[in-house]
Amino acid sequence: MDEDIVALLRGRDQKSIELIAERYERLLRYIAVTILRDRETEVEECINDVYLKVWTHGTEFDLEKASLRTWLKAITRNTALNYLRKVSRREEFEENGEEDPLHSGDMDDADNPERRMIFQEEVRALERVLNDLKKKDREMVLRRFYYLQSTRQIAEAMGMSENAVDSKLSRLKKKIRKRYERESEPCHLKLH
């Protein structure tokens, strides 16, 4: 099914977006709402931006590098985080009665090839580290740092106490940081 959607997307067929919405919108909306919370306007704008990015970059997508679901989740997460940064900044300036001097600026580095290359290398290094974790540990890390779930949500979903989740996440963060620094070191040496 995903192969068919990707083929339509590469062929610039509008039906691809309809099929993606039909199959994945609940997941995309869940990610956006988890990050943006009760900001309904921003959630809607975020979802629309996700579809625009999918349409714009659909011809570049490679099913051999990632599944369509993974690609859509990454786009949604990054788009929602960009919205959250902008909204938080705007809200902070509004609270202080000031105007945001960077209001029109976008925080997306997608147009910078060097940054994009470094980012891709870092993502691959992080994927290697995460793939080496036990399945339950990886799930916990993804729930907390990818889907931004609260300790309570993770504890309920995984049948653990909140203290156990906090303790385990603390140990996992240290372990991941140490392994990630070793994994990503070669790509930084090559690029600097």
Side-chain angles (χ1 to χ4, degrees), residues 34-188:
T34 300
I35 294 170
L36 293 166
R37 307 270 182 235
D38 58 352
R39 298 174 176 99
E40 290 180 33
T41 303
E42 283 76 14
V43 168
E44 291 305 319
E45 289 177 11
C46 174
I47 297 296
N48 288 334
D49 271 4
V50 167
Y51 289 132
L52 179 62
K53 287 177 182 183
V54 167
W55 180 254
T56 303
H57 299 287
T59 56
E60 303 163 21
F61 175 66
D62 184 354
L63 261 174
E64 291 182 17
K65 291 184 179 175
S67 69
L68 180 62
R69 179 185 176 94
T70 300
W71 186 59
L72 292 170
K73 289 190 318 188
I75 291 172
T76 306
R77 179 182 181 275
N78 293 338
T79 304
L81 288 172
N82 279 339
Y83 266 91
L84 182 62
R85 283 186 208 107
K86 286 188 251 186
V87 169
S88 298
R89 184 178 174 88
R90 185 179 68 224
E91 288 171 353
E92 186 179 319
F93 276 96
E94 285 172 1
E95 279 178 23
N96 296 328
E98 301 171 25
E99 189 174 318
D100 183 356
L102 301 175
H103 181 69
S104 63
D106 194 359
M107 298 186 180
D108 198 353
D109 289 331
D111 294 331
N112 183 322
E114 184 181 349
R115 277 197 153 143
R116 192 169 53 230
M117 189 172 81
I118 292 169
F119 176 75
Q120 288 169 347
E121 287 294 323
E122 290 174 345
V123 166
R124 282 193 280 275
L126 187 56
E127 283 174 347
R128 287 191 296 272
V129 171
L130 291 176
N131 286 334
D132 286 342
L133 292 176
K134 294 177 185 167
K135 187 177 180 183
K136 191 171 181 177
D137 291 348
R138 184 171 51 247
E139 179 185 349
M140 187 180 295
V141 168
L142 290 174
R143 283 179 179 275
R144 181 67 188 114
F145 301 107
Y146 190 81
Y147 295 111
L148 304 177
Q149 290 182 345
S150 68
T151 302
R152 176 180 291 152
Q153 289 172 311
I154 296 167
E156 288 172 5
M158 299 187 75
M160 300 171 68
S161 72
E162 289 183 43
N163 285 341
V165 169
D166 283 336
S167 175
K168 184 72 170 176
L169 282 171
S170 178
R171 288 192 309 272
L172 285 169
K173 271 185 358 187
K174 289 175 188 168
K175 179 179 179 179
I176 290 168
R177 184 175 291 124
K178 191 181 285 187
R179 294 269 326 273
Y180 172 74
E181 287 170 359
R182 282 198 317 258
E183 285 282 334
S184 65
E185 195 173 278
C187 76
H188 287 296

